[in-house]
Amino acid sequence: MTENRSQWGTKVGFILAAAGSAIGLGNIWRFPYTAGENGGAAFVLVYLICVLLIGIPVLIAELTLGRYTQRNPVGAIKTISPTGLWKILGYLGVISGIMILSYYSVVAGWTIGYIFKTAFHQTSDFGTFIANPINEVFYFVIFLTLTMLVVISGVKGGIEKWSKILMPLLFLILLGLIFYSLTLPGAKAGIKFYLQPDFSKITGRTILAGLGQAFFSLSLGMGAMITYGSYLSRTTNLVSSATLVALSDTLIAVMAGLVIFPALFAVGMEPTQGAGLVFNVLPKIFEQMPAGTIVGIFFFILLAIAALTSSISLLEVGVAWAVDELKFTRKNATLLLTGITFFLGIPSALSQGASKFFTEISLFDRIGFLDIADFIFGSFALTFGGMLLSIFIGWKWGANKAIEEIKFGLFKESTTLLNIWNFLIRFVCPVIIFFVLLNIFKIF
Ligand code: PFF
């Protein structure tokens, strides 16, 4: 191990950090509103299939490449293919990470703002709150600074320590909220919308949204899991770790929907309202429920922390690249990339009403800078990156070579399971993603 290459402290620590990367705003903010916009239960079904057939195999593939090469995404790809164009895929990951971080931190800033809004019983609505440029930039900077501080303190002391205690708490509070939400009058209509699929609602757009959401939620397609895998030793079981991470991520997303949709229908709001969904609905629940202020404050704190354990992985990809490849110190790499992210995030922060231009700009059917950035980087780039990564790992490196690496750390070698992975990563993942991506261009 070189001086700059750290390792996870324990296996549990790694799993919690990887789950911490996966579980974040994607589960609690993005999943419910995307489901709401794409037909509810029909979307949930598509999403689950995407996680199973594509998400888990790509997650295993990324962790495997990372552990084998012990490098950031750019370095990992260069280790396998020193010449040629493949390394662009690594740079695409670094860029996507920074671009996603730029708007992710804006949304995470909203959750910090909502901690105070709940505590001080400010009744202004969400639209007014996010249209205020001072609020927007202030909370955005606070969140980005927290991300920077954790990343500077490194893998074991920063990322791992944070993830360990706080993820389980988030699970418990969601569980409590589900019970409350389900008892609200009118909750049934929400459950029906969320769990009873209307298959006629499945279109190319639903499938793209489901696939994009699977990549976003599992932190795939940009090398975050390559990077996390690179801090592993060969004693970790990659298949069971990946499965556990994917299951816990999916569980939290499904649970968030069980909180939101019953409550949404109980208060008579629209499921198709977009990015404000969670911030509009949840405060309504907290207002009504016993001890709602305390629960609300606690909830937004945990959500901000879940966002933090994800945002650090977005930044870590670029930092690991600058440390490994450009020989930066961890601190300088983090400072520089955070500074760049700050500038890139300003348009997103102002895109919620503060600046007319950034609010009204429209591209690919999306309106507002934040939404456009989320579509290009959070959906398209991750899905496209995921397709290229599955081709790179399945064909260029070779699924059989990857399997030799996967075998280290397995409890028991199951040839059938490994063959299934081999088939999924070489054929199913690239082909399905390719067709879904083709569909986008038709939609446009
Ligand atoms: N998976 C995170 C979430 O669901 O909030 C977001 C994310 C983190 C996406 C890291 C991509 C990534 F590489």
Side-chain angles (χ1 to χ4, degrees), residues 330-353:
R330 170 168 280 273
K331 189 166 166 200
N332 287 345
T334 312
L335 287 173
L336 181 70
L337 289 172
T338 308
I340 295 174
T341 310
F342 168 74
F343 286 106
L344 293 170
I346 296 285
S348 290
L350 300 180
S351 70
Q352 306 297 311

Side-chain angles (χ1 to χ4, degrees), residues 21-27 104 216-219 222 224 310 313-314 382:
S21 164
I23 298 168
L25 294 171
N27 308 57
Y104 197 88
F216 188 90
S217 194
L218 292 171
S219 306
M222 51 156 272
S310 301
S313 67
L314 289 163
L382 295 187

Side-chain angles (χ1 to χ4, degrees), residues 316-333:
E316 181 65 25
V317 172
V319 168
W321 162 70
V323 169
D324 287 348
E325 309 298 311
L326 310 178
K327 309 294 172 221
F328 272 62
T329 62
R330 170 168 280 273
K331 189 166 166 200
N332 287 345

Side-chain angles (χ1 to χ4, degrees), residues 235-417:
T235 54
T236 304
N237 183 329
L238 294 179
V239 176
S240 66
S241 306
T243 312
L244 206 61
V245 168
L247 286 182
S248 51
D249 183 66
T250 307
L251 182 69
I252 297 281
V254 171
M255 285 172 76
L258 281 176
V259 176
I260 304 289
F261 287 106
L264 176 85
F265 280 77
V267 296
M269 283 185 182
E270 281 301 312
T272 50
Q273 56 185 281
L277 180 71
V278 171
F279 293 94
N280 282 321
V281 175
L282 285 178
K284 292 258 177 325
I285 322 186
F286 298 139
E287 265 166 35
Q288 294 175 10
M289 73 189 286
T293 308
I294 303 286
V295 178
I297 295 173
F298 209 53
F299 175 82
F300 285 117
I301 293 179
L302 289 174
L303 183 53
I305 291 166
L308 190 62
T309 56
S310 301
S311 64
I312 52 189
S313 67
L314 289 163
L315 185 55
E316 181 65 25
V317 172
V319 168
W321 162 70
V323 169
D324 287 348
E325 309 298 311
L326 310 178
K327 309 294 172 221
F328 272 62
T329 62
R330 170 168 280 273
K331 189 166 166 200
N332 287 345
T334 312
L335 287 173
L336 181 70
L337 289 172
T338 308
I340 295 174
T341 310
F342 168 74
F343 286 106
L344 293 170
I346 296 285
S348 290
L350 300 180
S351 70
Q352 306 297 311
S355 144
K356 194 167 149 45
F357 175 74
F358 291 126
T359 307
E360 290 175 2
I361 182 175
S362 104
L363 190 69
F364 307 132
D365 237 8
R366 303 293 176 116
I367 301 166
F369 193 91
L370 193 155
D371 252 34
I372 296 174
D374 181 46
F375 179 72
I376 298 179
F377 295 97
S379 239
F380 178 77
L382 295 187
T383 312
F384 182 64
M387 177 180 79
L388 296 182
L389 274 173
S390 57
I391 297 173
F392 182 76
I393 293 168
W395 296 92
K396 176 79 194 168
W397 184 21
N400 287 330
K401 285 201 196 121
I403 284 175
E404 289 311 307
E405 177 64 32
I406 296 179
K407 282 181 181 166
F408 292 105
L410 292 188
F411 308 130
K412 195 171 96 242
E413 234 176 84
S414 156
T415 319
T416 324
L417 259 184

